[in-house]
Amino acid sequence: MLIKENIALSENGFVFNPSTGDSFTMNNTGKEVIMMIKEGKDLNRITELMAEKYDVDRNTLERYLADFLNDLNVYNLLEEEK
Amino acid sequence: MSRRKVTVAVTGLNNIDSPGPGIPVIRGIRESADLDARIIGLAYEHLEPGIYMKDLVDKTYMIPYPAEGKDALFERLMEIHSKEALDIIIPNFDAELFSFIKLEKKLAEAGIKTYLPSIQQFEERNKSNLSAYGDKYGITVPRGTEVFSIQDMNNTLRSMNYPVMVKGKYYDAYTAHSFEQAASYFEKLTAKWGFPVIIQEYIRGTEVNIVALGDGEGNLIACVPMRKQYITDKGKAWGGITIDDDSLHQLARKIFSLTKWKGGMELELIRSSSNELYLIEINPRIPAWVYLAVGAGQNIPEALVKLTLGIDVKPFTRYDVGKMFVRYSYDMIVDLELFSRLTTTGEL
Amino acid sequence: MSKQLFERPTITRLTPGVPSKHGAASVIAPMPLIDGVKVDDLIDQFGSPLYIFSEREMRKSMEEIKRAFSVRYHKTQMAWSYKTNYLDSICRIFHQEGSWAEVVSGFEYDKAIKNGVKGENIIFNGPGKSASDLEKAARNGSFIHIDHMDELFLLSDICNSKEIEARVALRVNMDIGINPRWDRFGLNYENGEAWDAINRIMINPRLKLMGLHTHIGTYMMSTDSYRIAATKLADLAYNISVKFEYYIAYIDLGGGFASRNTLKGAYLSGEDTTPSFDEYAEAITSALINSRIRPDKLPTLILETGRAIIDNAGYLAGTVIANKRLSDGKRATIIDIGVNILFTAFWYDHKIHPVNSHSGLVEETAIFGPLCMNIDVVRSSLMFPALKRGDRIVITKTGAYNITQSQQFINLRPAIVLIGINRQVHVIRQAEILDDIVKNELIPDYLA
C-alpha cells in the first residue's frame, strides 16, 4: 500500500493530485494515517499505532481504516497493488 | 491633510462573469483621496477571484453562508474582528443582507459600523412585495404574483400573456415563452433560492438602471442612471453608458424621500414603447456596475464609507453624461500554495 | 497518559460551493447536555432513540408569549392546541400556566376533560364533530366553533330537540393576501357566507354567539397577515355591534406562529427569519386597538399557539447505526430515528448535533433512518462531522406534532422523558412493548 508518488501532501492536511487536478482536505486522524502510509508503514502497524493513541476498540478502528483506505482508492491516491 | 485610516470589510468578491459588487466597491474606496483603507475580504467560496487580487484586497477570510444562520456569521465576524479591528462592513449580496441587518446592533456594540436599510425598508422592496410597493408609493410597476407550486403558477399564467418573467426570491430572472419553459425555470429557481417564485408581466422596452445612495433621512446623496448597451445571456450589463434623463432623477428622488432608504440601492427600470417608466426591481445594495458612477464623477463607495463613519457628505450635483464602461474578464495566475492555505486555514 | 477521542479519518474532495470548516464549524456544536442533564446518561437509562422534553423551555416560551401580548392588550387568553402535542403531562404544564384547551375531535375533548379542564374552558374546533360530540360540548358550556353551515344546522337541531343551549363562535376564512389560501375551514368572509351564518345564529335563541375565530394558515412567517386577519375580524365584530347592539366576548386568532425550524426550500435559517412573539403581538393587538370597536367593549383575544411554544422544547436523541458511501461519492449516515417518529422531517431541515465533540471538519452527508423504506430520509444533504457507529446525536426542535403524528412501523416507539424544572427526569410515556401493539388484535378460532 503506497500513496502515489506525485501526490502533494502539505502539513496542514491539504492534498493535491497533480494527475487529476483534484484537491482534498483531511481531518487530523486522516492526516496522521496518510502520513504513516507515506512513511511506508503497513496497515497492521498503522492500526497498532492508532489503537495506542486513541480511545477506540479494535473492530471500530479496523472498520474505519478500511473505509478511509477505500476513499483514498476511490479518489485515485493509492498506487495500484501489484 | 493626511488620509483617514479605516479598515473596511467587503463581501461579494465573486468577480466572475456575473460579478458581485465587491471588487468595484473596493476600487472606489481605493481611489479616495481622503481615505487610507485596509481592505478585508469576506468570502463564501474558495474561488472568489477577489481573494487573489492582492493589490485590491489586503486579506481575506472565509465566512459561513447566510443559510447557516446569523449567529454562526456573528461568531466568525467576531473572530475576524479580534484580529483585524474592523471599522466598517459593507455587505454586497442580497441574500446576506437580512442577516447583516439583524446583526446591525450587535456589530455596532462590538465597534463595527454598517450603513443599512431597516428590515421594514428591506422587506417592502422585496420582489414579491413589488406590487404593494408600487401602490403604496404611487410608482408604476409590472403586475406580479408570488407562486409556491407549479399548480399555483399554472393558475396565475392562465390570466397572463407570454412572454412572462420568472424570478427567483433573491437572484436570477428568466423570460419564459411557454408554460413548459416557465415550469423548468420554476424548478431551477426554487432549487437555488427557495420559495416563492415571482411571476411578472413582461414589459417591452429599453432597460435603464440607476445606482443611488440614500442617507436614511430622505436625501439622495448620489444618483447615476445608466443604459445597458450590451446584455449577457445572464441579463448582466457587459457595457453601459451614463445618461441624462430628468424623469429618472425625479423617480429616484421620489423613492428616496418617501422611503427614507439608507444605503446603496439599484433601481431596475424599463421605459416601455409607450414611453412609460416601469420599476421592475429594487436591489437593496450597490450594483456591480458602480464603478461607472465612480468614473463619471460620483464615487459612491467612498461616499458610503464616509457616511458610515459619520462624516458629512454633500449630495453629488453632477456626473459626466456619456461615460461608458466595457466589462472584461482577465485570467490571474494563482499558486496552488495560496489555494491550499485558504482551504485549510480559512484565511489568506 | 489517557487516550484521545477517536474520530474516523476522513478525506474530502474540494468542490466549489462547499464551505470549509471555517465556514460552518460553529453551527454543528456538540450537544452533550439538555437542560443540564447528560444526553449520554439519558440514553443509557431509557434507550435509543428517546424523545426528550424540557419543562423549563415550555414554561419560558409561555412566559414570553404571555408577556408579549399582555403588555400590549388588556385581555389575552391562551388555549393549548391539543393536536400539537397531547401527552397528558405536557398538556397539564400548559394548563398550569393558565391555558385553556383547544381540541378538534371528541377524543381530544375527552382527554382535556380528563386533564381537569372545565367544560367552559374548552374550545372545540374542527370540521368533523359528531352529533354526540356537539351535544356533550353544548351541555358542558364549551365554545363550539362552527366550521360549516351543515354543522350550524345540526347543532341547532340538537339544541331544539334536547332543549339545551350552546355557546358558539364562528370560524371565518378570508383573503389576507397570502398564498396558499386556507379556505377549506370555516365560512368565507368575502362571499358573505360568514355574515349569513352570523344572522342565523343571532336570531336563534338557543345559540349564543360568543366569538369570532380565524386560523389563517400554518408556519406564517409574515406578521402582516395577522394584522389583516385581526382587522377583518374586528370589522365583523363591529358590524355585529351596529346591527344587533351586541358585543361578542372574544376574537380567536388561532395558531400558526412559526417555530424556529428551517422549512425545506427556505434559503435563510428559521432561527433568523421567524418573527418573535413581540412582532406577532404588535401586529395583532395594534389591529384590534385601532379597530372601530368601542374601547370599553374590546373582546378578549384568544390564541391557540401550539407549535411555536412546544417545538423548541422537544428533542429527539438517537444513535448512529452505520456509515456508507453512496454511488455519487456522497457520505450517508444511518441513524436509529426514522421518519415514522420524526414526521416533521418531511417539512423541516432539522438541525442535528452530535452529542460529543468532534474535530469540526464536516463533509456533505445524507442522514437516513432505519426503516428500510426509500422515503426514510431525515436530511437529504447537510454538512456533518464524521460520526462513527455508536456515536449519539440530538435532533432539536422536534416538540410539535411528532408525538401526535408518529406511527408505529416495524419498530416499537421509544420512551418519552420530561426534564423537570429541578432537572429531575420523569418518564411521561413508557417505550412501547410488543403487547401494546398486539393486545387489541383478535385471532379467528381457525387461526389460533
Side-chain angles (χ1 to χ4, degrees):
Chain A
M1 182 178 60
L2 272 176
I3 300 287
K4 279 187 181 161
E5 214 167 294
N6 61 352
I7 300 292
L9 196 60
S10 81
E11 275 301 302
N12 47 27
F14 182 87
V15 178
F16 175 65
N17 182 347
S19 37
T20 63
D22 284 331
S23 28
F24 308 85
T25 54
M26 290 177 295
N27 64 355
N28 280 331
T29 38
K31 204 162 70 189
E32 280 176 39
V33 173
I34 214 166
M35 284 299 184
M36 288 191 265
I37 299 173
K38 194 115 190 168
E39 287 158 12
K41 297 191 169 73
D42 66 12
L43 186 57
N44 282 336
R45 181 70 188 135
I46 294 172
T47 314
E48 230 168 79
L49 288 168
M50 294 292 282
E52 269 170 37
K53 185 168 174 189
Y54 292 101
D55 181 20
V56 58
D57 66 84
R58 201 71 183 200
N59 268 337
T60 305
L61 180 59
E62 280 175 15
R63 184 228 175 291
Y64 285 113
L65 279 178
D67 218 26
F68 182 66
L69 293 179
N70 182 46
D71 284 354
L72 296 183
N73 223 344
V74 169
Y75 289 141
N76 264 313
L77 299 171
L78 293 181
E79 288 287 3
E80 304 210 358
E81 301 281 342
K82 299 205 173 83
Chain B
M1 201 182 81
S2 72
R3 297 195 300 162
R4 170 147 178 187
K5 275 196 190 302
V6 58
T7 303
V8 185
V10 180
T11 69
L13 305 183
N14 53 329
N15 214 49
I16 52 175
D17 62 342
S18 177
I23 291 301
V25 164
I26 293 168
R27 287 180 70 194
I29 298 171
R30 286 270 186 239
E31 288 176 19
S32 165
D34 304 326
L35 301 171
D36 175 13
R38 175 169 164 79
I39 301 291
I40 306 299
L42 303 175
Y44 293 100
E45 299 197 8
H46 297 131
L47 289 179
E48 292 183 23
I51 301 169
Y52 305 96
M53 298 183 174
K54 279 309 177 191
D55 46 339
L56 289 172
V57 183
D58 293 302
K59 172 114 192 201
T60 300
Y61 293 88
M62 303 298 296
I63 56 171
Y65 280 99
E68 302 288 347
K70 67 178 193 305
D71 295 339
L73 175 64
F74 183 73
E75 210 174 294
R76 178 64 173 154
L77 290 175
M78 285 305 103
E79 206 181 320
I80 297 165
H81 187 44
S82 69
K83 295 184 202 167
E84 301 290 350
L86 305 175
D87 295 308
I88 291 176
I89 299 180
I90 304 178
N92 285 311
F93 282 120
D94 299 15
E96 70 188 2
L97 275 172
F98 181 89
S99 313
F100 275 100
I101 294 171
K102 288 264 172 178
L103 287 175
E104 186 174 15
K105 225 172 119 198
K106 277 177 88 176
L107 289 171
E109 280 162 14
I112 305 175
K113 297 188 172 83
T114 50
Y115 204 76
L116 301 169
S118 69
I119 204 79
Q120 288 74 22
Q121 291 173 327
F122 178 73
E123 290 292 343
E124 74 173 2
R125 58 88 246 164
N126 212 316
K127 274 184 229 185
S128 48
N129 300 332
L130 192 64
S131 302
Y133 190 91
D135 291 344
K136 183 172 171 187
Y137 296 114
I139 292 161
T140 313
V141 299
R143 279 180 305 130
T145 313
E146 293 180 78
V147 297
F148 290 81
S149 66
I150 296 268
Q151 207 189 341
D152 243 13
M153 186 170 74
N154 195 10
N155 292 337
T156 302
L157 287 174
R158 266 188 215 140
S159 60
M160 296 177 76
N161 294 322
Y162 290 102
V164 295
M165 298 302 295
V166 185
K167 296 186 160 189
K169 183 169 181 187
Y170 294 104
Y171 293 106
D172 297 341
Y174 301 98
T175 314
H177 296 270
S178 67
F179 176 72
E180 288 67 29
Q181 254 183 1
S184 84
Y185 294 140
F186 179 91
E187 300 289 350
K188 215 186 258 190
L189 290 169
T190 51
K192 199 162 174 197
W193 302 114
F195 294 100
V197 164
I198 295 106
I199 304 295
Q200 211 175 62
E201 180 189 5
Y202 181 88
I203 309 289
R204 263 169 241 281
T206 314
E207 190 173 341
V208 283
N209 292 7
I210 297 174
V211 55
L213 179 64
D215 68 354
E217 312 276 335
N219 299 311
L220 186 59
I221 302 297
C223 175
V224 177
M226 177 269 290
R227 152 91 192 267
K228 290 181 180 177
Q229 289 177 302
Y230 182 81
I231 298 173
T232 68
D233 51 2
K234 286 187 176 162
K236 300 287 161 183
W238 209 253
I241 184 162
T242 56
I243 54 175
D244 182 21
D245 175 347
D246 198 47
S247 62
L248 295 173
H249 290 278
Q250 270 174 24
L251 181 69
R253 266 198 300 276
K254 179 175 172 184
I255 287 174
F256 277 76
S257 76
L258 289 176
T259 65
K260 301 198 168 18
W261 182 267
K262 187 176 172 191
M265 180 191 262
E266 180 187 29
L267 297 168
E268 294 186 15
L269 304 150
I270 289 187
R271 185 171 289 288
S272 73
S273 19
S274 55
N275 205 29
E276 197 168 359
L277 206 51
Y278 284 83
L279 175 63
I280 54 169
E281 201 163 315
I282 300 174
N283 293 315
R285 35 104 196 133
I286 290 175
W289 59 271
V290 67
Y291 194 73
L292 175 64
V294 177
Q298 297 197 6
N299 191 335
I300 292 176
E302 178 194 25
L304 176 64
V305 170
K306 287 183 175 173
L307 285 170
T308 315
L309 289 172
I311 299 171
D312 193 37
V313 179
K314 295 252 168 331
F316 290 98
T317 50
R318 61 164 305 283
Y319 60 91
D320 299 334
V321 175
K323 273 272 189 238
M324 288 170 56
F325 81 93
V326 181
R327 196 166 272 168
Y328 74 117
S329 59
Y330 175 93
D331 299 351
M332 286 183 291
I333 302 304
V334 175
D335 238 10
L336 180 65
E337 155 61 14
L338 297 180
F339 180 71
S340 132
R341 233 167 46 208
L342 179 72
T343 54
T344 53
T345 65
E347 54 189 84
L348 187 68
Chain C
M1 202 185 79
S2 69
K3 292 187 178 182
Q4 297 177 22
L5 205 70
F6 176 73
E7 182 174 85
R8 65 181 166 85
T10 63
I11 176 159
T12 310
R13 178 163 34 199
L14 290 167
T15 44
V18 176
S20 66
K21 67 173 171 180
H22 310 285
S26 52
V27 252
I28 334 176
M31 186 174 274
L33 303 170
I34 293 174
D35 254 10
V37 177
K38 276 191 177 161
V39 178
D40 275 336
D41 291 352
L42 289 173
I43 293 181
D44 288 345
Q45 198 178 344
F46 302 105
S48 175
L50 180 68
Y51 286 110
I52 303 164
F53 283 91
S54 158
E55 180 174 353
R56 185 183 302 266
E57 285 182 47
M58 278 180 242
R59 294 197 189 265
K60 204 178 97 206
S61 297
M62 270 301 280
E63 250 165 57
E64 281 171 16
I65 192 167
K66 283 194 291 190
R67 185 200 49 73
F69 280 89
S70 64
V71 298
R72 294 178 169 87
Y73 197 71
H74 67 296
K75 192 146 189 251
T76 307
Q77 174 63 48
M78 303 295 295
W80 177 243
S81 153
Y82 264 52
K83 67 177 178 297
T84 313
N85 188 324
Y86 46 60
L87 286 164
D88 286 340
S89 307
I90 302 283
C91 295
R92 283 165 195 242
I93 289 173
F94 290 116
H95 295 324
Q96 269 189 6
E97 291 285 334
S99 281
W100 293 355
E102 185 262 319
V103 303
V104 293
S105 68
F107 161 78
E108 287 191 348
Y109 190 93
D110 294 344
K111 228 166 179 295
I113 294 285
K114 212 170 132 271
N115 278 327
V117 183
K118 289 197 201 110
E120 71 244 36
N121 290 345
I122 299 178
I123 290 169
F124 199 170
N125 275 321
K129 310 176 195 90
S130 70
S132 62
D133 291 338
L134 288 170
E135 183 183 339
K136 180 162 50 180
R139 288 188 188 279
N140 283 338
S142 303
F143 301 106
I144 299 170
H145 285 196
I146 304 289
D147 188 82
H148 41 72
M149 276 301 184
D150 285 325
E151 188 170 76
L152 180 56
F153 284 105
L154 176 61
L155 180 62
S156 170
D157 287 348
I158 292 169
C159 288
N160 285 335
S161 65
K162 309 276 177 181
E163 299 187 346
I164 54 173
E165 293 185 356
R167 302 205 290 174
V168 302
L170 195 68
R171 176 155 180 177
V172 180
N173 70 62
M174 57 183 71
D175 181 7
I176 46 161
I178 57 145
N179 263 314
R181 240 169 100 170
W182 272 33
D183 53 9
R184 55 169 290 186
F185 302 109
L187 296 144
N188 188 256
Y189 177 91
E190 285 84 11
N191 71 10
E193 203 182 26
W195 188 248
D196 183 27
I198 289 167
N199 285 331
R200 285 172 195 278
I201 295 168
M202 291 305 294
I203 58 167
N204 187 330
R206 294 196 184 275
L207 301 181
K208 190 160 162 53
L209 183 67
M210 302 301 296
L212 294 171
H213 170 217
T214 192
H215 190 119
I216 55 177
T218 190
Y219 228 80
M220 305 301 304
M221 304 295 280
S222 151
T223 56
D224 206 43
S225 310
Y226 281 97
R227 189 186 53 74
I228 298 170
T231 304
K232 288 196 172 181
L233 279 195
D235 273 351
L236 210 47
Y238 173 76
N239 291 340
I240 292 170
S241 75
V242 170
K243 177 164 177 188
F244 300 100
E245 285 179 13
Y246 175 81
Y247 292 92
I248 57 163
Y250 67 83
I251 278 181
D252 178 347
L253 275 167
F257 295 174
S259 72
R260 311 239 148 201
N261 263 307
T262 304
L263 283 180
K264 277 189 194 301
Y267 182 74
L268 293 170
S269 160
E271 311 235 3
D272 296 351
T273 51
T274 300
S276 65
F277 288 142
D278 280 307
E279 290 170 279
Y280 285 119
E282 186 59 37
I284 291 171
T285 59
S286 64
L288 294 181
I289 291 166
N290 294 329
S291 72
R292 289 180 293 171
I293 303 173
R294 271 172 52 184
D296 61 322
K297 299 289 187 188
L298 278 171
T300 297
L301 169 64
I302 295 183
L303 296 166
E304 302 167 355
T305 312
R307 188 195 307 270
I309 300 176
I310 188 72
D311 221 7
N312 300 355
Y315 302 82
L316 187 47
T319 307
V320 172
I321 297 174
N323 286 294
K324 58 171 65 171
R325 186 170 287 282
L326 304 175
S327 59
D328 63 356
K330 191 157 94 181
R331 274 273 162 198
T333 294
I334 302 166
I335 58 176
D336 61 358
I337 294 169
V339 291
N340 63 321
I341 60 168
L342 185 68
F343 203 75
T344 49
F346 292 123
W347 320 119
Y348 297 148
D349 283 340
H350 273 295
K351 240 185 181 180
I352 308 177
H353 300 260
V355 169
N356 294 304
S357 64
H358 57 93
S359 71
L361 198 75
V362 292
E363 59 183 332
E364 193 188 359
T365 307
I367 310 267
F368 296 136
L371 295 188
C372 203
M373 299 275 289
N374 203 36
I375 56 161
D376 192 20
V377 181
V378 174
R379 287 291 303 269
S380 55
S381 173
L382 81 169
M383 300 304 291
F384 203 64
L387 298 192
K388 56 185 187 296
R389 182 179 162 81
D391 283 349
R392 286 157 174 180
I393 48 118
V394 175
I395 305 177
T396 60
K397 303 188 193 75
T398 58
Y401 293 101
N402 281 313
I403 306 286
T404 47
Q405 294 188 322
S406 73
Q407 46 179 304
Q408 186 268 326
F409 178 69
I410 73 168
N411 284 319
L412 297 166
R413 280 173 291 187
I416 306 172
V417 298
L418 174 74
I419 302 177
I421 291 290
N422 52 10
R423 291 189 183 162
Q424 266 183 337
V425 178
H426 311 272
V427 176
I428 58 173
R429 191 169 81 187
Q430 289 177 322
E432 272 172 352
I433 55 172
L434 183 60
D435 196 45
D436 291 330
I437 311 305
V438 299
K439 71 181 171 207
N440 291 329
E441 289 187 36
L442 299 172
I443 299 172
D445 285 343
Y446 73 99
L447 294 176

